[in-house]
Amino acid sequence: MAASRAFAGMIAGMALAFAGCFGGFGAFLLVAALGGLGWMVGQWFDGGRGVQDLREAYERSRR
């Protein structure tokens, strides 16, 4: 069973709250940035794209 987006959002919010509470503002920003990166990669793979497509996009951006 896949988790709903509301549940995933709640988990992300709890992770940010713990990071902010125990690690300070720097940890909060790190968790938020890595969470955003994870979300982008998840969206990429949910769209039917694979690792090879990600690598090709990276190579195109370097030219």
Side-chain angles (χ1 to χ4, degrees), residues 1-51:
M1 182 175 127
S4 70
R5 290 180 191 243
F7 182 74
M10 180 188 71
I11 296 299
M14 289 174 62
L16 288 171
F18 278 116
C21 183
F22 296 114
F25 188 67
F28 174 82
L29 290 178
L30 179 64
V31 170
L34 292 176
L37 180 64
W39 177 82
M40 289 188 318
V41 170
Q43 287 292 319
W44 180 270
F45 286 116
D46 280 348
R49 297 181 175 105
V51 176

